[in-house]
Amino acid sequence: MNVDDISRVTVLGAGNMGHGITEVAAIAGYHVTMRDIEQELVDDGYESIEWSLQKLSEKGLVEEDPDAVMDRIDTEVDLETAVSDADLVIEAAPEQMELKKEIFGDLDEFTPEGAILASNTSSLSITEIATATERPEQVVGMHFFNPPVKMDLVEVIYGAETSDETAEATYEFVESIGKTPIYVRKDVNGFVVNSVLGPFGDEAGWMVSEGAATIEEVDAAMVHRRGYPMGPFELGDLTGIDIGYHVRKEAGKDVPPVVQEKVDAGDLGQKTGKGYYDYEDGEGTTYEAGQGEDVDTLRIEARIVNEAAKLIGNDVATAEAIDTGMRLGAGFPEGPCRRADKLGLDTVLAKLEELYDEYGHERYEPSEHLRELVEAGHTGEDAGKGFYDYGGSDGERHYATIEHSLSEDGLLEITLDRPERLNALNQDLMDEVVHLLETTDVDDVRAVTFEGTGDRAFSAGADITGFAGIAPHEKDVTEFFRTVAEYPRPTLAKIDGFCLGGGHELALACDLRIATEGSEFGFPEINLGLIPGGGGTQRAIRMLSDARAKELVFRGERISAERAEEWGLINRAVSDEEFDETVEAFLDDLVGGAPIALRKAKQVMNAGRDQDIDAGLELEAQAFGLLLGTEDMQEGAAAFMEDREAEFEGK
Ligand code: NAD
């Protein structure tokens, strides 16, 4: 089965996950049959989808008419009818091995020969589920995160017998529904995300149990110093303390006393009104910034990194897959492998060894892979190589937050790739863009475009969590914006969605801006007690009228693409359908244009803007004179005479 052969999808279960998966697949254009064991249950699921689609549509996140999407969904109670012509079945029934085996046995009987049989299980063995069929090579794990409509990640899990063909088609299917897949090459307990997330709560539990820190201190430290969206105890309360407890018990692991106490007392978190914090009589979480200054956060992060290293060493997943998984699936501010490369793998190893010496417990035992990296001198970014290559030794630098491609004809496309944070700028992203622009041979580049991953944002701002723990005066964000603004080739921002704060400043640092009509522009900094710090105030006031620029900065309100165009902030606001075409038309001129002339035009216009007219005219005259002597100019003139397209070579 190839992804192109998948057109009919059946989802088993209309519960939490089942209805969400059905919705996502139907939005992407698939015909989906959703099956549950009783009509009432399928009806409930169907209604939940209707409600959710309505919301998405109101927010402009689904363009198609909700009714048209609903038309692609059938509901069914009879299993055989539901699956008899399915190309792909996604099982999202309750998490019980016996039930899943029974279902997969039936699927083996009722589905077409080539159908892919996927399970959305969070914790059960794909290998074992597959034993219920005669075609284990077509059984695969497809682990969505809750809620599927919002969460971008899907783990694609190999059972022992799963064929590459099945896994690849599944992976491509996930991409085709607009989600991000990662491969989990062996069905280890917890797969990737839950395995690596394990120590986050576990080590925090041990630290508090032994009195090394309080619950509030640990949560405050992880959130305010290390940038995690929630503290480990806060997260435990949200997901249910019993959930993590049972996973640990089943895996035969020790449970920290602080966790055991809560479970014994029946205080399981938000769902019971009380857990580590009190949600009934109290006000929920009570930790504050500044409370966790003395917490040894490396203790927790070293264990997380060790878990990641084990997975890499055992060929379960690559560092990239793990980092993508943790960013998208667990909301980590950056992947643990990337973070470890910054911390220094030797530092991480030393922390584990220290803990292992002190407690002698296997949970601190450094993984083979981590030891090997350190022994080989691959201790991270400073060494030029760690989990990733930074171009220090042999290979090319790995970028964690951007994607890029350079075409034959010289179009350098840069995609801001932090969809989980609406492509907000953080230090890594800015460093990586600067590195890319500085290390790509400028002679190979004719024009540069910037865009955001996904269809929600160009970039929604600067990621404040990424600045956690760094004093403001240490930040030099201006280098990034200056590098973009002064890049000697034309730059164009392709804006689809939010273009706010730092993202807006990046767009303004580009020469040209084209946006879809639904895009929004703004400088929300004032609402945080800040002002734009990446050149936004200065570029806006030079680009717009005084009043308009101040309106944007003072009020912190967003303006529509239409207004932005009217104000002259962007070149064009166009419909989604016209977007690519419009961008193409601009790029034709930029990429095919005379490179030296474009470079000079950019230079004198940028420099002249900030000087008086005489100085500006002088710059122009010099550039004009220089261009007269170029081969490009001769080619341009010849082509004009011969009535043909000029072929400029930048000479
Ligand atoms: P749920 O209880 O909300 O829904 C399960 C549904 O399956 C129920 O409506 C039930 O009636 C139905 N069902 C029972 N037997 C069935 C059968 N033979 N055929 C079709 N439907 C059947 O559970 P959920 O939270 O949606 O979880 C479903 C699966 O997804 C589980 O394996 C779970 O581990 C996994 N999962 C859950 C989450 C989560 O956060 N809830 C996240 C990822 C994966």
Side-chain angles (χ1 to χ4, degrees):
M1 176 78 54
N2 194 295
V3 67
D4 300 327
D5 304 327
I6 300 177
S7 69
R8 292 219 52 106
V9 179
T10 298
V11 177
L12 300 181
N16 266 324
M17 298 303 290
H19 89 263
I21 296 168
T22 301
E23 180 176 352
V24 168
I27 291 172
Y30 288 97
H31 287 273
V32 192
T33 302
M34 179 171 69
R35 187 257 170 174
D36 208 305
I37 45 177
E38 283 169 29
Q39 191 59 42
E40 200 186 322
L41 294 167
V42 254
D43 290 346
D44 284 352
Y46 193 80
E47 277 170 31
S48 302
I49 299 176
E50 267 180 331
W51 181 87
S52 160
L53 269 176
Q54 197 55 45
K55 290 270 157 219
L56 292 176
S57 170
E58 282 163 19
K59 289 187 194 154
L61 296 174
V62 172
E63 279 149 32
E64 210 181 350
D65 177 6
D67 289 340
V69 177
M70 292 310 292
D71 280 347
R72 286 194 290 272
I73 300 174
D74 293 324
T75 56
E76 188 55 64
V77 175
D78 180 61
L79 178 67
E80 185 171 355
T81 320
V83 301
S84 60
D85 63 353
D87 305 310
L88 166 67
V89 179
I90 307 169
E91 169 275 317
E95 190 77 334
Q96 297 149 17
M97 183 53 90
E98 283 320 305
L99 173 65
K100 302 231 184 220
K101 278 189 173 173
E102 196 185 306
I103 293 174
F104 275 72
D106 290 343
L107 290 179
D108 200 21
E109 192 176 327
F110 298 137
T111 55
E113 222 171 72
I116 292 178
L117 310 180
S119 174
N120 181 48
T121 178
S122 310
S123 59
L124 301 175
S125 157
I126 303 299
T127 307
E128 192 177 340
I129 294 173
T131 58
T133 74
E134 299 287 318
R135 41 174 140 162
E137 67 286 350
Q138 283 162 241
V139 177
V140 67
M142 195 193 260
H143 183 218
F144 287 79
F145 288 71
N146 190 17
V149 176
K150 275 211 188 126
M151 298 291 286
D152 223 348
L153 186 74
V154 180
E155 292 180 311
V156 174
I157 306 132
Y158 276 77
E161 309 277 326
T162 309
S163 69
D164 285 335
E165 188 189 330
T166 298
E168 280 159 22
T170 307
Y171 189 96
E172 288 169 22
F173 172 79
V174 171
E175 289 182 314
S176 77
I177 57 172
K179 300 283 169 196
T180 305
I182 59 168
Y183 278 126
V184 182
R185 303 230 173 233
K186 295 177 186 167
D187 64 346
V188 293
N189 191 273
F191 310 138
V192 164
V193 173
N194 287 328
S195 296
V196 178
L197 188 59
F200 187 65
D202 190 59
E203 193 54 23
W206 289 110
M207 288 165 72
V208 168
S209 297
E210 71 189 41
T214 65
I215 286 171
E216 287 178 331
E217 283 167 355
V218 174
D219 278 358
M222 296 312 275
V223 171
H224 293 290
R225 282 175 47 213
R226 304 303 291 163
Y228 293 89
M230 270 183 237
F233 296 101
E234 182 182 10
L235 180 64
D237 274 357
L238 181 75
T239 50
I241 299 172
D242 53 324
I243 305 281
Y245 174 81
H246 289 305
V247 171
R248 282 193 197 108
K249 279 281 182 196
E250 261 165 47
K253 292 184 179 155
D254 294 343
V255 174
V258 63
V259 180
Q260 186 71 52
E261 283 160 27
K262 293 293 166 193
V263 173
D264 291 345
D267 293 335
L268 305 179
Q270 289 193 18
K271 63 183 173 189
T272 61
K274 205 169 163 194
Y276 298 113
Y277 298 95
D278 193 341
Y279 301 86
E280 239 162 35
D281 303 322
E283 56 206 61
T285 57
T286 46
Y287 64 88
E288 281 168 19
Q291 258 180 318
E293 295 308 306
D294 299 326
V295 174
D296 183 3
T297 57
L298 182 58
R299 226 179 116 160
I300 298 174
E301 292 189 325
R303 280 198 57 204
I304 290 173
V305 173
N306 200 31
E307 205 57 47
K310 278 182 207 164
L311 294 176
I312 298 169
N314 293 333
D315 296 322
V316 176
T318 61
E320 269 116 335
I322 293 170
D323 280 1
T324 302
M326 299 318 289
R327 288 164 52 198
L328 270 50
F332 275 24
E334 63 188 342
C337 298
R338 169 70 189 128
R339 179 162 280 195
D341 277 355
K342 287 201 263 190
L343 288 167
L345 302 192
D346 45 347
T347 306
V348 172
L349 179 61
K351 175 53 74 178
L352 290 166
E353 283 172 337
E354 175 197 320
L355 290 163
Y356 192 53
D357 281 350
E358 191 176 339
Y359 298 92
H361 198 286
E362 61 173 10
R363 66 177 166 268
Y364 301 115
E365 197 173 342
S367 72
E368 205 51 41
H369 186 62
L370 185 62
R371 282 191 191 286
E372 282 167 10
L373 286 171
V374 174
E375 272 160 29
H378 299 155
T379 52
E381 185 163 8
D382 287 346
K385 195 168 181 175
F387 284 116
Y388 294 105
D389 213 316
Y390 296 90
S393 40
D394 30 21
E396 263 184 44
R397 170 157 169 177
H398 163 84
Y399 296 122
T401 61
I402 57 171
E403 285 191 8
H404 63 98
S405 71
L406 177 60
S407 72
E408 264 314 83
D409 55 2
L411 177 63
L412 177 59
E413 295 177 287
I414 303 178
T415 305
L416 314 180
D417 189 25
R418 303 186 70 226
E420 74 283 11
R421 301 269 159 144
L422 294 176
N423 306 317
L425 311 180
N426 64 2
Q427 197 61 45
D428 269 2
L429 188 150
M430 295 191 280
D431 289 348
E432 290 177 1
V433 170
V434 170
H435 183 270
L436 175 66
L437 291 177
E438 285 179 349
T439 54
T440 306
D441 188 347
V442 79
D443 290 333
D444 295 338
V445 180
R446 291 288 188 92
V448 183
T449 58
F450 288 90
E451 65 192 293
T453 298
D455 53 6
R456 293 192 57 203
F458 171 73
S459 166
D463 195 336
I464 302 179
T465 57
F467 297 160
I470 305 170
H473 60 267
E474 286 174 27
K475 301 236 62 63
D476 183 17
V477 295
T478 42
E479 185 201 1
F480 164 71
F481 295 99
R482 187 176 300 131
T483 305
V484 173
E486 292 175 4
Y487 192 71
R489 298 285 184 241
T491 50
L492 181 139
K494 295 168 62 175
I495 300 156
D496 185 17
F498 295 121
C499 183
L500 306 174
H504 191 181
E505 294 178 290
L506 167 61
L508 297 193
C510 291
D511 299 311
L512 304 161
R513 287 161 289 284
I514 297 175
T516 54
E517 282 162 350
S519 301
E520 292 184 36
F521 299 78
F523 287 125
E525 286 86 347
I526 208 85
N527 301 322
L528 301 172
L530 288 170
I531 61 171
T537 60
Q538 297 311 300
R539 292 207 170 86
I541 204 138
R542 280 167 175 73
M543 225 172 258
L544 305 174
S545 71
D546 191 274
R548 285 171 173 173
K550 286 178 181 161
E551 177 177 336
L552 274 177
V553 174
F554 290 8
R555 297 189 66 199
E557 303 264 322
R558 295 182 204 154
I559 62 168
S560 66
E562 193 188 356
R563 174 158 294 172
E565 184 187 23
E566 187 193 316
W567 282 11
L569 190 70
I570 63 175
N571 296 76
R572 299 280 190 286
V574 294
S575 67
D576 289 346
E577 294 76 48
E578 294 166 302
F579 187 59
D580 286 341
E581 227 175 280
T582 312
V583 169
E584 273 315 302
F586 271 64
L587 289 177
D588 271 354
D589 294 327
L590 302 182
V591 174
I596 309 177
L598 281 166
R599 176 184 199 148
K600 283 288 156 199
K602 174 167 179 169
Q603 217 176 37
V604 304
M605 290 171 91
N606 281 357
R609 182 179 53 204
D610 307 332
Q611 305 193 4
D612 66 45
I613 182 104
D614 287 335
L617 290 172
E618 178 64 30
L619 288 172
E620 184 188 88
Q622 279 169 10
F624 189 84
L626 189 141
L627 290 167
L628 283 177
T630 61
E631 285 177 30
D632 277 356
M633 186 262 156
Q634 286 168 18
E635 162 65 8
F640 178 73
M641 301 297 282
E642 293 159 24
D643 199 17
R644 61 170 169 84
E645 286 272 325
E647 288 194 18
F648 297 112
E649 290 184 8
K651 288 182 187 157

